[in-house]
Amino acid sequence: MKKILFLALALCLMAGTAVAADTIKIGLMAPLTGAWASEGQDMQQIVELLADEINMAGGINGQKIEIVTEDDGGDPRTAALAAQRLSTQGLVAVIGTYGSAVTEASQGIYDEAGLIQVANGSTAIRLSEKGLNYFMRTCPRDDEQGLVAYKALKNGGYKSIAILHDNSSYAKGLADEAKTLLEKDGANIVFYDALTPKENDYSAILTKMKAANPDVVFFTGYYGEAGLLLRQKMEMNWNVPFLGGDATNNPDLVKIAGKEAAAGFMFLSPPVPQDLNSKEAMAFMTAYKKKYNAEPGSVWAVLSGDGLRVVAEAIKATGSTDQDKLVAYMKNDLDNFPGLTGQISFNDKGDRVGDLYRVYKVSADGKFMLQP
Amino acid sequence: MKDKRLVIYAVISVVLLLSPLFLNAYWVDVLNNVGLYTILALSLNIILGHAGLFHMGHAAFYALGAYTTAIINTTYHIPILWLLPVSGLVAGLAALVVARPIIHLRGDYLLIVTIGFVEIVRIALVNNVFGITGGSNGIFGINRPILFGWKINKPWEFFYLIWGFAAVTIFLFNRLENSRFGRALNFLREDDVAAEGSGINTAHYKLIAFVIGAFWAGMVGNIFAAKMTIIAPESFNFWESVVLFMIVLLGGRGSIRGVILGAFLVLGLPEIFRQFATARMLIFGAFMVAMMIFRTEGILPPLPRKYPIAKMLGREGSA
Amino acid sequence: MELFIQQLTNGLAVGGIYALIALGYTMVYGVLKLINFAHGDLFTIGAYLGLTLLTTLGLTNYLGPFGVVIVLALMVMGLVAIVGAALERVAYRPLRQSHRLSAVVSALGASIFFQNAVMLIYGARYKVYPHDILPRTAIHIFGLDIPLIRLLMLLTSIVMMIGLYLFIQRTKIGTAIRAAAIDQGAAKLMGINVDRVIMIVFLIGPALGGAAGLMVGLYYGQINFTMGWLYGLKAFTAAILGGIGNIPGAMVGGLLLGVIEAMGAAYISIAWKDAIAFCVLIIILIVRPTGLLGERVAEKI
């Protein structure tokens, strides 16, 4: 009996999602619950803010946009369902998502549905090497960052290097990429291992790493762990320089580590809007602060905003919502579009092109300073 | 009474069978997930529900099956469905090796050991053990299954594959439940010592239950790998084992219809609660507590075993 | 050798927290034979309540650092104890007469509920305790730098555990708890109010978990809504390792688990550290099926 009720209820819910034809519907797939909920909720805030702005200004070619958000839970199985759900709702494109493995689980589904996906935080190389026509991303790839990390470490003149990752698909990819390049160059990798994310005590790892006596530590994981590592490193009176990957780019890092411990920490990242003096970036910062009374969290959430802006631009320029036309426009004709994170162009694989990465350093008062 | 129940079952089956006709791809895929977890939970039900072994590491066997399929398929290109029994065998064998020394542990100690096992498997997968599991990237590029020349690709095609498999599972496990073996398991669940005293080799029976459950979970892993075409360690973490554990207990230990309903609720409700956005899991948690409070033995606990002696006698009398 | 001692202290500090949480598991298990999977989330709630009280009450204006910590700890323990007792009343008491696995599902549901409630109330981002509450001096012994707080943390855990042990062994209520753990029916016949005993257990266990949450917040600074699940699992492992239901067992199990993890990370592999810990656990259970200090229970016939 309950099962019949369940089915009936399911049917009712589906009936409720009838389509209103006069709006342009754009999907957002984001981790609203689960371990990456902070990123996902930030993505939602930013995309909704930008959509509201576009609608206030009269929409795209007179049509309003409507954002349809689905939770991917930060896990592949939920993401596959979210993708199925989004691909049946008459959308023009889907923005998202954050984790590479999560994006991968949804890629095939969007491609089969002929739906454009603009990922914002998924940097794993292979995502764009499969020849999927409708896949694009506003974030750079791991190999690009690996190269930048290699250069930064080399320019620093470090001889013995410790590399620490967190065994996530993203962090391990970056660590491997940098390790290969550094070893080819004859650098001495004295330590290479993975920590368990979401723990609180990394003193055992730091003690072990200290014994290996590296000149520098390259940590490719996320800001939460990076903050704790810095804090506990200081408590041990260990003064080794730390370099972080782009997942450490989050103001919460300084909060967790404390200003004293965070000072001098360097990381690689695409530039955040705070550091760009373009008209778009400044307008976005003002609007975000006004609406949410805070600064946007990580650059990844901002990149989802860029995803929406790129799609909107393509619809406006082509005057069409045909997926093939839009993809062709974004890959071929969109050139140096002024994004919130610098200029945006895509190559044929759907990857964002250009030298995106910058080196940042945390100043004594906890600010992220863009290094020349 | 029995006839009425049969009618309900028939109606539900027909509705389910026809559902891809009027459901969109998303809901069909939800039903696919429900189907996979139904089969998984039914296999766990043999161990947890019938033998009464506290096993919270079932995802490990599921993972072993999925990885077996993925590794062999991507390296030797052997068709997916041929690997179905192979995946089962690997998982079953692993269960035999692992369970042998721990089968005598008392309830909660067994629980933590099985949790430990599923964590060890996951960590091994993440660390790319033997260089064949692809680490945290997992394995991608797994082929789609081909059944009698028909390539199974779309959600509705998987729907019939999965629910066909589920139907076979239900039939076989129903037979198993009512066999001598099933009765022996129930006996040792209720009273280990008395069962031993009645000449049942309890360790032996528990072990067989474990191996059967694991074998079946391994086969589900095969289908899961083919459905996702990419598998990664995150899909097999401890939480998945907990989900299976909840399905069996929420539905009713040892009851096939209960477990099926449990799978519908545990997998389906978070989807229905999607409209509550970030609060959906909160509501789901509250729902679970409420369900257990009001139906303390699960929603559909097993019916008491019936031995229709009157009927049997009557038949003899007329003969 | 220096390295070894350093890692030993690292392990003991983590182990102290595991032990403190494990006590809650063990006490509840001892009386109800229930694995309270929501216990880890009570720990999380403790950490978040501590932060709220710390930032809203402005205690630092009136009291010195240790005064602040003590007042805070008492308030957090009191509040989490109330949450724990409410949990027992709502989610576990109706299930007391049914199969004990039913209560496990209820506990898992409660865990999901608490975790998401914390997320909805406090947001999904990391929360951070103020940095200047505790002095950050390190003690210099045997050529090692050991942060003072680490030692204090370990000391606090041990003091709390000894206190609890004495409470259980020496007081009248403690005796009642032990009686209810052995046989609820018989305890009732002896005039013990078993309902009240269970309520007391659900006040003490969560209070200790809440205290552990506060300690983690004060020392590590960073807290998030999912942390209870990981700590809960570790603490449950610790409780089993020592022999669940046994209070000294939880202490030994917790400290030992912390040390095994640190040593596994130091001398074998960091990435495999949790797997190593579980392997050791499984081996110990194969040799001693009821944990290190667990009693060998004769099968009832």
Side-chain angles (χ1 to χ4, degrees), chain A residues 197-334:
Chain A
K198 302 271 162 184
E199 286 188 341
N200 271 322
D201 196 309
Y202 294 119
S203 51
I205 292 161
L206 286 165
T207 306
K208 190 179 181 185
M209 207 148 53
K210 191 180 178 186
N213 201 18
D215 294 338
V216 66
V217 176
F218 179 37
F219 176 63
T220 63
Y222 291 82
Y223 61 92
E225 286 77 28
L228 286 171
L229 284 168
L230 290 172
R231 183 171 177 153
Q232 287 164 26
K233 176 178 79 99
M234 188 183 72
E235 269 160 20
M236 289 171 57
N237 293 324
W238 187 27
N239 285 319
V240 71
F242 253 67
L243 177 71
D246 54 16
T248 57
N249 182 7
N250 191 309
D252 285 353
L253 172 107
V254 180
K255 269 202 229 156
I256 295 164
K259 280 175 190 160
E260 201 187 336
F265 174 70
M266 290 187 297
F267 63 87
L268 314 163
S269 173
V272 287
Q274 288 93 315
D275 295 318
L276 292 175
N277 42 17
S278 71
K279 178 169 95 260
E280 290 76 17
M282 275 153 52
F284 168 73
M285 284 305 293
T286 323
Y288 188 94
K289 274 187 200 153
K290 192 175 153 207
K291 182 155 180 191
Y292 300 116
N293 200 18
E295 295 219 339
S298 75
V299 68
W300 310 108
V302 179
L303 285 167
S304 69
D306 264 343
L308 177 72
R309 295 180 70 248
V310 167
V311 170
E313 172 67 20
I315 297 171
K316 197 159 120 195
T318 55
S320 149
T321 52
D322 178 71
Q323 265 87 8
D324 291 301
K325 276 190 196 153
L326 292 175
V327 164
Y329 176 82
M330 285 192 273
K331 285 185 179 171
N332 304 328
D333 302 326
L334 189 81

Side-chain angles (χ1 to χ4, degrees), chain A residues 18 49 71 73 97 160 174-175 210 265 288 312 333 357 360:
Chain A
L49 170 74
D71 176 20
T97 185
S160 52
L174 176 56
K210 191 180 178 186
F265 174 70
Y288 188 94
D333 302 326
Y357 277 100
Y360 280 83

Side-chain angles (χ1 to χ4, degrees), chain C residues 211-271:
Chain C
L214 178 68
M215 258 161 70
V216 164
L218 283 171
Y219 177 57
Y220 297 109
Q222 176 224 60
I223 56 176
N224 73 75
F225 70 101
T226 56
M227 69 182 195
W229 181 246
L230 198 65
Y231 270 101
L233 183 60
K234 291 283 171 64
F236 176 47
T237 311
I240 292 270
L241 188 63
I244 195 160
N246 181 313
I247 288 171
M251 297 188 222
V252 173
L255 294 174
L256 191 64
L257 184 67
V259 172
I260 293 172
E261 280 187 10
M263 292 302 163
Y267 295 104
I268 307 177
S269 160
I270 298 173

Side-chain angles (χ1 to χ4, degrees), chain B residues 279 281-287 289, chain C residues 36-46 48-49 79-92 106-123 202 206 224-229:
Chain B
M281 293 310 284
L282 177 93
I283 295 167
F284 177 68
F287 172 84
V289 175
Chain C
N36 181 10
F37 273 102
H39 189 61
D41 299 284
L42 294 171
F43 158 85
T44 313
I45 291 173
Y48 274 87
L49 282 178
L79 288 173
V80 179
I82 294 169
V83 177
L87 170 71
E88 192 273 330
R89 186 68 195 79
V90 173
Y92 301 150
S106 189
L108 286 167
S111 169
I112 298 173
F113 178 84
F114 280 141
Q115 185 178 328
N116 283 280
V118 171
M119 182 190 84
L120 290 171
I121 295 169
Y122 288 95
F202 267 96
N224 73 75
F225 70 101
T226 56
M227 69 182 195
W229 181 246

Side-chain angles (χ1 to χ4, degrees), chain A residues 96-111:
Chain A
T97 185
Y98 184 65
S100 291
V102 186
T103 296
E104 186 145 30
S106 64
Q107 269 187 316
I109 296 163
Y110 291 129
D111 196 65

Side-chain angles (χ1 to χ4, degrees), chain A residues 343-364:
Chain A
Q343 294 182 325
I344 301 175
S345 322
F346 295 100
N347 63 13
D348 282 345
K349 289 175 184 165
D351 283 324
R352 183 165 173 186
V353 290
D355 243 356
L356 214 53
Y357 277 100
R358 302 285 183 277
V359 178
Y360 280 83
K361 192 169 189 173
V362 182
S363 69

